[in-house]
Amino acid sequence: MGEIKTIEFKDGVLYLIDQRKLPNSYEIFECRTYKDVNFAIKDMVVRGAPAIGAAAAYGMVLAAKEFINEEKESFFKKMEEALEILSKSRPTAVNLMWAINRMKKVIENNKELELQDLYELLKKEADDIYYEDIETNKNMAKFGNEIIKENAVILTHCNTGALATVGYGTALGVIREAHYSGKNIFVYADETRPRLQGAKLTAWELVQEGIPAKLIADSVAATLIRDGKIDVILVGADRIALNGDTANKIGTFMLSAIAKIYHVPFYVVAPTSTIDFNIETGKEIVIEERSPEEVTHINGVRIPPEGIEVYNPAFDVTPHENITGIITEKGIIRPPFRENILKLK
């Protein structure tokens, strides 16, 4: 299989791999309006913090295309509405706001231009976000590969691959790099309940790439870690606070706590666009709660009895003291995190 193209914008249409349908069917979801993009982000057609950011940027391009024949005043009003709607599509991933703010700046700094010229500038900014993401991931993969030993057994959680980004991936990008550089690695992938991104998406990417791996139920990880079977844990991130506290897919905190007890290195792999320089600690991160059906149903089949209530947070926060290092495109940030994160700013 060639390169996985999670996102592609061509001829005024945003094409997304429909990640709700993988691995059983490979379908492309077409976004022709910014409202289609809003739906795609909310319903997790597209997911993963960097991918959401890029998709939202193209959502703004689609909005500009839709409103280009309006009077200027009306155009800017409608663009503001679109910015507002897209910025609320998923609350936890900071890359979403980062991308939206970049698009907003382009609009604010070029209000005097003809609308067609402004459209071109917005398209260029979205393209920049797209290509920067691939570049960023390849750089992260190189830095991350430095900490992977020959014959390493790696544990990962959720999906942090090409599907979670524009291409290549964050934590899975490091795994790819280690595999391609001949390190003879082996991967254990958590299935990642409740949406099973590990079983459906990470497993799919690992099979596509021919990387030796086994899929495990989330609760198996603790036993493998205790028994000394895991050399390193690599996870992604949706938001990182100044002190290094990190929000990631639910289940990440539990892994970090067990890794700490058994002295297994625990690395977060994320671009610097995932760092929220406006929050001091993970306590300030809004944790999105998703629908009960994600827990009560698997592929549309109900598992528990009617009448049981459900608590379904999409993310949890891993405290910085459980993290060995944060692998970014600019290098590996190690403790003291606050001091070293501020250097990046």
Side-chain angles (χ1 to χ4, degrees):
M1 167 132 184
E3 212 176 320
I4 296 166
K5 276 205 164 167
T6 309
I7 293 175
E8 193 169 13
F9 188 83
K10 61 173 188 223
D11 306 325
V13 181
L14 181 63
Y15 298 94
L16 303 169
I17 293 176
D18 191 337
Q19 301 193 33
R20 303 167 306 175
K21 306 287 172 65
L22 288 171
N24 299 326
S25 75
Y26 181 91
E27 293 175 34
I28 299 297
F29 184 92
E30 294 183 9
C31 299
R32 294 178 180 274
T33 68
Y34 81 88
K35 286 192 169 155
D36 292 344
V37 177
N38 182 49
F39 171 82
I41 295 172
K42 274 193 150 138
D43 212 57
M44 293 176 77
V45 171
V46 63
R47 35 138 310 277
I52 288 171
Y58 282 118
M60 288 308 298
V61 176
L62 290 173
K65 180 172 163 252
E66 196 179 330
F67 306 133
I68 204 159
N69 296 322
E70 304 267 343
E71 292 293 321
K72 261 193 167 181
E73 198 175 319
S74 166
F75 173 86
F76 290 121
K77 199 167 179 310
K78 288 187 171 171
M79 288 299 280
E80 207 156 296
E81 253 164 59
L83 278 167
E84 184 66 14
I85 286 170
L86 284 168
S87 68
K88 292 198 168 109
S89 52
R90 297 271 320 260
T92 305
V94 79
N95 306 60
L96 174 66
M97 284 315 298
W98 168 83
I100 290 279
N101 286 336
R102 279 181 62 169
M103 301 305 278
K104 197 174 172 176
K105 266 200 184 114
V106 172
I107 297 169
E108 282 169 359
N109 296 341
N110 297 285
K111 285 196 161 168
E112 74 295 339
L113 290 183
E114 291 299 318
L115 294 186
Q116 183 58 45
D117 296 336
L118 180 54
Y119 170 82
E120 297 299 338
L121 279 184
L122 286 166
K123 164 91 168 55
K124 185 187 176 302
E125 189 70 12
D127 288 342
D128 287 350
I129 288 170
Y130 178 97
Y131 289 113
E132 282 166 23
D133 186 55
I134 296 171
E135 194 55 34
T136 292
N137 291 345
K138 298 226 163 135
N139 287 336
M140 273 192 295
K142 288 192 173 68
F143 283 118
N145 195 21
E146 292 168 11
I147 60 127
I148 305 295
K149 299 184 173 73
E150 293 282 330
N151 309 314
V153 178
I154 302 166
L155 174 65
T156 190
H157 188 69
C158 197
N159 173 264
T160 56
L163 291 169
T165 61
V166 168
Y168 214 69
T170 57
L172 208 53
V174 174
I175 288 169
R176 270 196 173 88
E177 191 74 19
H179 172 69
Y180 289 137
S181 59
K183 286 191 171 167
N184 189 34
I185 57 163
F186 189 88
V187 180
Y188 281 103
D190 276 349
E191 62 176 356
T192 321
R193 283 283 292 140
R195 285 189 69 100
L196 299 165
Q197 296 99 320
K200 290 179 171 181
L201 308 176
T202 301
W204 183 75
E205 289 197 47
L206 291 165
V207 168
Q208 297 292 333
E209 302 270 355
I211 298 172
K214 278 184 183 172
L215 179 67
I216 55 170
D218 295 356
S219 41
V220 173
T223 308
L224 288 171
I225 292 167
R226 181 200 63 194
D227 294 350
K229 300 274 170 65
I230 303 296
D231 296 312
V232 63
I233 298 170
L234 297 176
V235 299
D238 285 76
R239 188 177 291 225
I240 298 170
L242 269 184
N243 71 342
D245 291 352
T246 296
N248 191 45
K249 185 53 57 197
I250 191 75
T252 304
F253 162 56
M254 197 156 59
L255 278 182
S256 75
I258 296 158
K260 193 176 183 187
I261 294 168
Y262 292 101
H263 309 294
V264 173
F266 185 95
Y267 285 92
V268 170
V269 189
T272 49
S273 58
T274 303
I275 299 169
D276 187 342
F277 290 100
N278 299 316
I279 60 169
E280 285 293 331
T281 76
K283 287 194 175 75
E284 295 170 68
I285 298 174
V286 178
I287 298 295
E288 171 188 3
E289 266 193 67
R290 295 184 61 83
S291 88
E293 283 74 28
E294 292 186 346
V295 177
T296 57
H297 291 67
I298 297 181
N299 285 354
V301 178
R302 189 176 180 93
I303 311 297
E306 294 281 354
I308 185 75
E309 288 190 18
V310 170
Y311 172 50
N312 182 24
F315 306 94
D316 54 27
V317 175
T318 296
H320 63 93
E321 56 269 24
N322 290 8
I323 298 170
T324 311
I326 300 167
I327 298 165
T328 76
E329 76 279 17
K330 296 185 173 164
I332 301 174
I333 307 170
R334 297 188 184 274
F337 286 118
R338 194 174 189 286
E339 202 175 300
N340 291 327
I341 285 172
L342 280 172
K343 282 182 194 159
L344 285 179
K345 198 176 181 184

